[in-house]
Amino acid sequence: MGQKMPRWVAEGYQEYAGRMPRELRLDLRELASGDRGKGGNPARAREVEGQRLLQAVPKGARVIALDGGGRRIDTEALAGAMREWLQDGRDVALLIGGPDGLDDACLKAADQRWSLSPLTLPHMLVRVLVAEQLYRAWTLITGHPYHR
């Protein structure tokens, strides 16, 4: 969720997305956040964001919700999941919520729920972190020295 990210976010994401091989191309879909302005309703904003996220998921994709209440994974587990994704051949949609997290509809639609950290992370930083971790998992699979 979110558009018009600071330059460092776009550059950080692009740094790692650009390193990924063709068969694991990252496709970032930036969606407009719900209205949280004066008089805005955060619960309604999260619901609108959830609808937008689910509409953006490719048909038949494996859906993974990045959620603080999800299962904690480490890099090795991510590499294992990536191996499965490569064998499965389906698109994978990693859902990153807005400032108030993911709507319940997204959590219910998810095949899996993962927690990146017990810390509360800003949603714009999560996209950089996820891109780096996907690249790191790829290097672990391929034996590249980046992951050491």
Side-chain angles (χ1 to χ4, degrees):
M1 292 310 311
Q3 298 171 313
K4 301 179 185 172
M5 291 292 134
R7 189 177 75 210
W8 68 266
V9 172
E11 289 173 354
Y13 171 83
Q14 196 52 51
E15 173 66 30
Y16 295 105
R19 295 180 185 190
M20 296 296 289
R22 250 188 345 214
E23 64 269 23
L24 288 170
R25 181 179 55 87
L26 301 183
D27 178 21
L28 176 65
R29 298 188 184 179
E30 293 181 315
L31 305 173
S33 297
D35 181 19
R36 287 182 177 75
K38 266 188 182 174
N41 179 335
R44 176 68 183 136
R46 189 176 57 237
E47 182 181 334
V48 167
E49 291 168 356
Q51 291 168 0
R52 289 176 183 159
L53 279 167
L54 292 175
Q55 288 172 355
V57 171
K59 186 175 177 107
R62 178 189 307 252
V63 177
I64 300 172
L66 299 177
D67 176 62
R71 180 176 66 102
R72 287 192 202 165
I73 61 164
D74 59 19
T75 303
E76 288 76 13
L78 179 57
M82 189 177 280
R83 284 185 188 98
E84 288 178 27
W85 301 343
L86 287 165
Q87 290 179 355
D88 184 39
R90 292 187 293 160
D91 287 332
V92 177
L94 300 167
L95 304 183
I96 301 171
D100 298 305
L102 289 168
D103 186 58
D104 285 342
C106 293
L107 299 177
K108 288 177 185 168
D111 298 298
Q112 297 175 329
R113 290 171 57 186
W114 289 353
S115 173
L116 299 177
S117 170
L119 299 171
T120 300
L121 301 171
H123 64 284
M124 64 183 166
L125 181 59
V126 170
R127 69 176 64 181
V128 178
L129 179 68
V130 167
E132 191 279 337
Q133 283 298 296
L134 289 169
Y135 175 69
R136 182 176 295 274
W138 172 248
T139 64
L140 184 61
I141 289 170
T142 61
H144 187 281
Y146 180 83
H147 178 71
R148 52 180 183 268

PDB file of all heavy atoms in Angstrom, residues 72-89:
ATOM      1  N   ARG A  72       6.704 -16.635  12.059  1.00  0.00           N
ATOM      2  CA  ARG A  72       8.026 -16.043  11.835  1.00  0.00           C
ATOM      3  C   ARG A  72       8.833 -16.959  10.926  1.00  0.00           C
ATOM      4  O   ARG A  72       8.843 -18.178  11.112  1.00  0.00           O
ATOM      5  CB  ARG A  72       8.771 -15.864  13.142  1.00  0.00           C
ATOM      6  CG  ARG A  72       8.226 -14.756  13.960  1.00  0.00           C
ATOM      7  CD  ARG A  72       9.178 -14.431  15.085  1.00  0.00           C
ATOM      8  NE  ARG A  72       8.424 -13.763  16.131  1.00  0.00           N
ATOM      9  CZ  ARG A  72       8.869 -13.603  17.347  1.00  0.00           C
ATOM     10  NH1 ARG A  72      10.040 -14.080  17.699  1.00  0.00           N
ATOM     11  NH2 ARG A  72       8.142 -12.980  18.241  1.00  0.00           N
ATOM     12  N   ILE A  73       9.495 -16.356   9.964  1.00  0.00           N
ATOM     13  CA  ILE A  73      10.342 -17.130   9.066  1.00  0.00           C
ATOM     14  C   ILE A  73      11.742 -16.533   9.077  1.00  0.00           C
ATOM     15  O   ILE A  73      11.919 -15.349   9.329  1.00  0.00           O
ATOM     16  CB  ILE A  73       9.787 -17.151   7.617  1.00  0.00           C
ATOM     17  CG1 ILE A  73       9.702 -15.750   7.037  1.00  0.00           C
ATOM     18  CG2 ILE A  73       8.438 -17.843   7.566  1.00  0.00           C
ATOM     19  CD1 ILE A  73       9.541 -15.741   5.538  1.00  0.00           C
ATOM     20  N   ASP A  74      12.705 -17.374   8.788  1.00  0.00           N
ATOM     21  CA  ASP A  74      14.072 -16.892   8.640  1.00  0.00           C
ATOM     22  C   ASP A  74      14.466 -17.049   7.169  1.00  0.00           C
ATOM     23  O   ASP A  74      13.677 -17.515   6.340  1.00  0.00           O
ATOM     24  CB  ASP A  74      15.031 -17.616   9.586  1.00  0.00           C
ATOM     25  CG  ASP A  74      15.072 -19.119   9.379  1.00  0.00           C
ATOM     26  OD1 ASP A  74      14.651 -19.615   8.306  1.00  0.00           O
ATOM     27  OD2 ASP A  74      15.548 -19.820  10.286  1.00  0.00           O
ATOM     28  N   THR A  75      15.669 -16.654   6.856  1.00  0.00           N
ATOM     29  CA  THR A  75      16.123 -16.664   5.463  1.00  0.00           C
ATOM     30  C   THR A  75      16.136 -18.074   4.882  1.00  0.00           C
ATOM     31  O   THR A  75      15.756 -18.267   3.727  1.00  0.00           O
ATOM     32  CB  THR A  75      17.515 -16.013   5.352  1.00  0.00           C
ATOM     33  OG1 THR A  75      17.436 -14.689   5.892  1.00  0.00           O
ATOM     34  CG2 THR A  75      17.973 -15.935   3.915  1.00  0.00           C
ATOM     35  N   GLU A  76      16.546 -19.040   5.664  1.00  0.00           N
ATOM     36  CA  GLU A  76      16.579 -20.420   5.170  1.00  0.00           C
ATOM     37  C   GLU A  76      15.168 -20.914   4.846  1.00  0.00           C
ATOM     38  O   GLU A  76      14.959 -21.606   3.856  1.00  0.00           O
ATOM     39  CB  GLU A  76      17.274 -21.344   6.175  1.00  0.00           C
ATOM     40  CG  GLU A  76      18.775 -21.148   6.246  1.00  0.00           C
ATOM     41  CD  GLU A  76      19.220 -19.898   7.018  1.00  0.00           C
ATOM     42  OE1 GLU A  76      18.387 -19.267   7.725  1.00  0.00           O
ATOM     43  OE2 GLU A  76      20.403 -19.539   6.911  1.00  0.00           O
ATOM     44  N   ALA A  77      14.194 -20.572   5.697  1.00  0.00           N
ATOM     45  CA  ALA A  77      12.804 -20.957   5.430  1.00  0.00           C
ATOM     46  C   ALA A  77      12.282 -20.252   4.183  1.00  0.00           C
ATOM     47  O   ALA A  77      11.546 -20.836   3.385  1.00  0.00           O
ATOM     48  CB  ALA A  77      11.923 -20.640   6.634  1.00  0.00           C
ATOM     49  N   LEU A  78      12.678 -19.003   3.997  1.00  0.00           N
ATOM     50  CA  LEU A  78      12.278 -18.276   2.793  1.00  0.00           C
ATOM     51  C   LEU A  78      12.878 -18.929   1.554  1.00  0.00           C
ATOM     52  O   LEU A  78      12.202 -19.086   0.530  1.00  0.00           O
ATOM     53  CB  LEU A  78      12.697 -16.807   2.884  1.00  0.00           C
ATOM     54  CG  LEU A  78      12.361 -15.932   1.686  1.00  0.00           C
ATOM     55  CD1 LEU A  78      10.868 -15.942   1.373  1.00  0.00           C
ATOM     56  CD2 LEU A  78      12.834 -14.503   1.919  1.00  0.00           C
ATOM     57  N   ALA A  79      14.129 -19.352   1.640  1.00  0.00           N
ATOM     58  CA  ALA A  79      14.756 -20.043   0.507  1.00  0.00           C
ATOM     59  C   ALA A  79      14.023 -21.346   0.208  1.00  0.00           C
ATOM     60  O   ALA A  79      13.802 -21.693  -0.959  1.00  0.00           O
ATOM     61  CB  ALA A  79      16.234 -20.305   0.790  1.00  0.00           C
ATOM     62  N   GLY A  80      13.620 -22.062   1.245  1.00  0.00           N
ATOM     63  CA  GLY A  80      12.849 -23.282   1.047  1.00  0.00           C
ATOM     64  C   GLY A  80      11.518 -23.001   0.383  1.00  0.00           C
ATOM     65  O   GLY A  80      11.095 -23.722  -0.529  1.00  0.00           O
ATOM     66  N   ALA A  81      10.851 -21.943   0.818  1.00  0.00           N
ATOM     67  CA  ALA A  81       9.582 -21.545   0.193  1.00  0.00           C
ATOM     68  C   ALA A  81       9.813 -21.170  -1.264  1.00  0.00           C
ATOM     69  O   ALA A  81       9.022 -21.533  -2.144  1.00  0.00           O
ATOM     70  CB  ALA A  81       8.963 -20.382   0.961  1.00  0.00           C
ATOM     71  N   MET A  82      10.899 -20.477  -1.537  1.00  0.00           N
ATOM     72  CA  MET A  82      11.207 -20.064  -2.910  1.00  0.00           C
ATOM     73  C   MET A  82      11.417 -21.281  -3.809  1.00  0.00           C
ATOM     74  O   MET A  82      10.980 -21.295  -4.958  1.00  0.00           O
ATOM     75  CB  MET A  82      12.431 -19.141  -2.920  1.00  0.00           C
ATOM     76  CG  MET A  82      12.709 -18.498  -4.252  1.00  0.00           C
ATOM     77  SD  MET A  82      14.113 -17.355  -4.174  1.00  0.00           S
ATOM     78  CE  MET A  82      13.324 -15.911  -3.462  1.00  0.00           C
ATOM     79  N   ARG A  83      12.066 -22.294  -3.281  1.00  0.00           N
ATOM     80  CA  ARG A  83      12.229 -23.539  -4.058  1.00  0.00           C
ATOM     81  C   ARG A  83      10.861 -24.113  -4.429  1.00  0.00           C
ATOM     82  O   ARG A  83      10.639 -24.544  -5.554  1.00  0.00           O
ATOM     83  CB  ARG A  83      13.035 -24.560  -3.264  1.00  0.00           C
ATOM     84  CG  ARG A  83      14.510 -24.300  -3.220  1.00  0.00           C
ATOM     85  CD  ARG A  83      15.249 -25.447  -2.500  1.00  0.00           C
ATOM     86  NE  ARG A  83      16.631 -25.118  -2.297  1.00  0.00           N
ATOM     87  CZ  ARG A  83      17.146 -24.629  -1.156  1.00  0.00           C
ATOM     88  NH1 ARG A  83      16.384 -24.438  -0.098  1.00  0.00           N
ATOM     89  NH2 ARG A  83      18.426 -24.353  -1.067  1.00  0.00           N
ATOM     90  N   GLU A  84       9.951 -24.127  -3.458  1.00  0.00           N
ATOM     91  CA  GLU A  84       8.591 -24.615  -3.717  1.00  0.00           C
ATOM     92  C   GLU A  84       7.902 -23.762  -4.777  1.00  0.00           C
ATOM     93  O   GLU A  84       7.215 -24.291  -5.654  1.00  0.00           O
ATOM     94  CB  GLU A  84       7.758 -24.587  -2.433  1.00  0.00           C
ATOM     95  CG  GLU A  84       8.129 -25.631  -1.420  1.00  0.00           C
ATOM     96  CD  GLU A  84       7.285 -25.505  -0.159  1.00  0.00           C
ATOM     97  OE1 GLU A  84       6.134 -25.008  -0.227  1.00  0.00           O
ATOM     98  OE2 GLU A  84       7.784 -25.903   0.907  1.00  0.00           O
ATOM     99  N   TRP A  85       8.067 -22.441  -4.685  1.00  0.00           N
ATOM    100  CA  TRP A  85       7.439 -21.546  -5.658  1.00  0.00           C
ATOM    101  C   TRP A  85       7.937 -21.849  -7.063  1.00  0.00           C
ATOM    102  O   TRP A  85       7.164 -21.851  -8.016  1.00  0.00           O
ATOM    103  CB  TRP A  85       7.721 -20.091  -5.327  1.00  0.00           C
ATOM    104  CG  TRP A  85       7.268 -19.621  -3.989  1.00  0.00           C
ATOM    105  CD1 TRP A  85       6.347 -20.235  -3.158  1.00  0.00           C
ATOM    106  CD2 TRP A  85       7.709 -18.466  -3.291  1.00  0.00           C
ATOM    107  NE1 TRP A  85       6.201 -19.515  -2.007  1.00  0.00           N
ATOM    108  CE2 TRP A  85       7.015 -18.430  -2.053  1.00  0.00           C
ATOM    109  CE3 TRP A  85       8.617 -17.455  -3.585  1.00  0.00           C
ATOM    110  CZ2 TRP A  85       7.203 -17.404  -1.131  1.00  0.00           C
ATOM    111  CZ3 TRP A  85       8.806 -16.438  -2.658  1.00  0.00           C
ATOM    112  CH2 TRP A  85       8.106 -16.412  -1.449  1.00  0.00           C
ATOM    113  N   LEU A  86       9.225 -22.083  -7.178  1.00  0.00           N
ATOM    114  CA  LEU A  86       9.800 -22.361  -8.492  1.00  0.00           C
ATOM    115  C   LEU A  86       9.242 -23.661  -9.067  1.00  0.00           C
ATOM    116  O   LEU A  86       8.987 -23.752 -10.267  1.00  0.00           O
ATOM    117  CB  LEU A  86      11.324 -22.419  -8.414  1.00  0.00           C
ATOM    118  CG  LEU A  86      12.004 -21.066  -8.238  1.00  0.00           C
ATOM    119  CD1 LEU A  86      13.449 -21.244  -7.796  1.00  0.00           C
ATOM    120  CD2 LEU A  86      11.934 -20.253  -9.516  1.00  0.00           C
ATOM    121  N   GLN A  87       9.040 -24.639  -8.219  1.00  0.00           N
ATOM    122  CA  GLN A  87       8.484 -25.912  -8.686  1.00  0.00           C
ATOM    123  C   GLN A  87       6.993 -25.802  -8.976  1.00  0.00           C
ATOM    124  O   GLN A  87       6.487 -26.434  -9.892  1.00  0.00           O
ATOM    125  CB  GLN A  87       8.736 -27.014  -7.656  1.00  0.00           C
ATOM    126  CG  GLN A  87      10.182 -27.399  -7.556  1.00  0.00           C
ATOM    127  CD  GLN A  87      10.431 -28.477  -6.507  1.00  0.00           C
ATOM    128  OE1 GLN A  87       9.531 -28.876  -5.781  1.00  0.00           O
ATOM    129  NE2 GLN A  87      11.668 -28.938  -6.434  1.00  0.00           N
ATOM    130  N   ASP A  88       6.294 -24.998  -8.211  1.00  0.00           N
ATOM    131  CA  ASP A  88       4.849 -24.831  -8.346  1.00  0.00           C
ATOM    132  C   ASP A  88       4.482 -24.070  -9.616  1.00  0.00           C
ATOM    133  O   ASP A  88       3.504 -24.380 -10.276  1.00  0.00           O
ATOM    134  CB  ASP A  88       4.318 -24.109  -7.109  1.00  0.00           C
ATOM    135  CG  ASP A  88       2.823 -23.955  -7.081  1.00  0.00           C
ATOM    136  OD1 ASP A  88       2.112 -24.887  -7.489  1.00  0.00           O
ATOM    137  OD2 ASP A  88       2.351 -22.892  -6.640  1.00  0.00           O
ATOM    138  N   GLY A  89       5.271 -23.056  -9.938  1.00  0.00           N
ATOM    139  CA  GLY A  89       5.053 -22.297 -11.161  1.00  0.00           C
ATOM    140  C   GLY A  89       3.990 -21.210 -11.075  1.00  0.00           C
ATOM    141  O   GLY A  89       3.808 -20.453 -12.027  1.00  0.00           O
TER     142      GLY A  89
END
